[in-house]
Amino acid sequence: MTEPPWLSERELDAWLAYLTASHLLERRIEEQLKADAGLTHPQYEILTRLSSAPGQRMRMTELARLVVVSKSGLTYQIGQLEKAGLVERAACPSDERGIMAVLTGEGMRCLERTAPGHLAVVRAFLIDHFGPDELTSMTRIMRKAAAAMGAAVPPPAGEAGPHTPGPRT
Amino acid sequence: MTEPPWLSERELDAWLAYLTASHLLERRIEEQLKADAGLTHPQYEILTRLSSAPGQRMRMTELARLVVVSKSGLTYQIGQLEKAGLVERAACPSDERGIMAVLTGEGMRCLERTAPGHLAVVRAFLIDHFGPDELTSMTRIMRKAAAAMGAAVPPPAGEAGPHTPGPRT
DNA sequence: TACGGTTTGTTCAAATTTGAACCATGCGCT
DNA sequence: AGCGCATGGTTCAAATTTGAACAAACCGTA
């Protein structure tokens, strides 16, 4: 850390631009999801994470880590999604304490119906502003940043490392 | 829009990396501010915006736009900050309806005391992962994105365009 | 097998956020 | 001046989020 603890003007500009854009994007996303599917963004994130998990199911704690939400927060949202019929709770075979959150058929259909509109927003307001190289840079940078903050983010593709027990296979 | 409405795998990777990193960063920031200053991130943002406004004061609505928070949300937070003695409300000279949120001396000192720790987090977990060119790209991209979403973001320096009626004069 | 330390998920209270409803004031036009 | 509509802030109820406290189940070791 030879850098000063504060930020240069260029860095501050970058940070402020990021901050504003991310807030605005979150708003747009929230608005679109609410209008088109009656979902909140956290709920949508839960559904997508489940949809790409083996068996469309995942342990509560692991899911909370992926979505970056508190345990109690996830308990609440899974309750909501259960009421909506998009998710079910199932016992965990290997661990008596564990609960699996399982995406229902209806949940999957809801996701298929909702994803295009959602991704269109993400594309229009964020992704389309990146050139190809910039997109690559950003992916790499954000992965590094996430890793530095202790994310459960599997590396790009092939790689050794401590590697998570991940749902490979 | 010749692009498909959905995202390619590369784009999706970028989006997921961004999403995870931004969530984690928000967490870290919230944690640091709470521990070191008893502030939430929105509160800190309000203080900084006020500190760099002429007269350390700003109209409620304008402030809400900058911080990207609802009007009622701002009313609430200004109330909290007022209780803490960091902000005061003052009448608006030019508009009888208007309220100016004003940063107090104590508020300014709180900010000076808190900023280094906060910016250190921003630097360590986000900014330091960018190279110089990448930082520039990101600033440009995020400004474009924010503008596309209707931000109150003044362009880099001199520039014409439709230009906001801004608080000039 | 019994014991201590972990991990899991839920419950609970408290804080925060949002949008709708609501007055009060400003502003353009007649 | 008088009207009609847009703006500025607050109030209110409802939804969401978090951390702390808890009970149950796991695990390694004696």
Side-chain angles (χ1 to χ4, degrees):
Chain A
M1 311 207 195
T2 53
E3 310 287 357
W6 58 81
L7 300 182
S8 70
E9 190 166 329
R10 283 183 60 253
E11 291 168 334
L12 191 59
D13 282 351
W15 170 236
L16 289 180
Y18 165 89
L19 200 51
T20 301
S22 64
H23 284 344
L24 287 170
L25 180 56
E26 186 58 31
R27 268 206 163 191
R28 294 296 187 121
I29 288 174
E30 206 72 56
E31 170 187 25
Q32 185 271 328
L33 285 175
K34 192 75 75 184
D36 290 8
L39 292 174
T40 65
H41 192 197
Q43 287 171 348
Y44 180 88
E45 287 187 71
I46 289 171
L47 296 184
T48 49
R49 293 296 186 172
L50 286 179
S51 77
S52 58
Q56 285 71 64
R57 69 192 57 213
M58 204 178 291
R59 288 286 293 269
M60 293 293 280
T61 297
E62 169 70 352
L63 183 52
R65 242 195 317 271
L66 276 186
V67 181
V68 189
V69 75
S70 67
K71 283 186 304 172
S72 48
L74 183 63
T75 295
Y76 174 77
Q77 285 300 1
I78 291 294
Q80 296 302 106
L81 292 170
E82 214 172 10
K83 276 199 275 183
L86 306 179
V87 164
E88 284 173 351
R89 274 181 232 248
C92 178
S94 62
D95 188 335
E96 189 61 33
R97 306 167 293 179
I99 299 282
M100 309 287 297
V102 188
L103 190 64
T104 64
E106 192 178 346
M108 183 60 94
R109 281 190 295 279
C110 170
L111 205 44
E112 288 166 348
R113 197 183 331 122
T114 306
H118 168 69
L119 295 179
V121 168
V122 174
R123 167 185 285 293
F125 292 127
L126 186 69
I127 299 296
D128 275 352
H129 296 285
F130 286 84
D133 295 349
E134 294 169 334
L135 197 68
T136 305
S137 290
M138 163 143 105
T139 305
R140 188 178 43 73
I141 291 166
M142 290 298 174
R143 281 218 181 97
K144 255 203 308 176
M149 296 183 277
V153 176
E159 186 150 329
H163 97 129
T164 53
R168 174 204 29 164
T169 293
Chain B
M1 314 206 193
T2 52
E3 311 287 356
W6 57 82
L7 300 182
S8 70
E9 190 166 331
R10 284 184 60 253
E11 292 169 332
L12 191 59
D13 283 350
W15 169 235
L16 289 180
Y18 165 90
L19 201 50
T20 301
S22 63
H23 285 341
L24 288 170
L25 180 56
E26 186 58 30
R27 270 211 160 185
R28 294 297 187 121
I29 289 175
E30 206 71 57
E31 170 187 25
Q32 185 271 327
L33 285 175
K34 194 72 78 184
D36 290 7
L39 291 174
T40 65
H41 192 197
Q43 288 171 349
Y44 180 88
E45 287 188 69
I46 289 171
L47 296 184
T48 50
R49 293 296 187 172
L50 286 180
S51 77
S52 59
Q56 285 70 63
R57 71 193 54 215
M58 205 178 290
R59 287 287 293 270
M60 294 292 282
T61 298
E62 169 71 351
L63 184 51
R65 242 197 314 272
L66 276 185
V67 181
V68 189
V69 74
S70 66
K71 284 188 302 173
S72 49
L74 183 61
T75 294
Y76 174 78
Q77 285 299 2
I78 291 294
Q80 296 302 107
L81 292 170
E82 215 171 10
K83 277 198 274 185
L86 306 179
V87 163
E88 285 174 350
R89 274 180 231 248
C92 178
S94 62
D95 189 334
E96 188 61 31
R97 305 167 293 180
I99 299 281
M100 309 287 297
V102 187
L103 190 63
T104 64
E106 192 179 346
M108 183 61 94
R109 281 191 295 280
C110 170
L111 205 46
E112 288 166 350
R113 196 182 334 120
T114 306
H118 169 69
L119 295 179
V121 168
V122 173
R123 168 186 283 295
F125 292 127
L126 186 69
I127 299 296
D128 275 352
H129 296 287
F130 286 84
D133 295 349
E134 294 169 335
L135 197 68
T136 305
S137 289
M138 167 147 98
T139 305
R140 188 177 44 72
I141 291 165
M142 288 299 174
R143 281 218 181 98
K144 254 202 310 174
M149 296 184 277
V153 176
E159 187 151 326
H163 97 128
T164 53
R168 171 207 30 167
T169 296

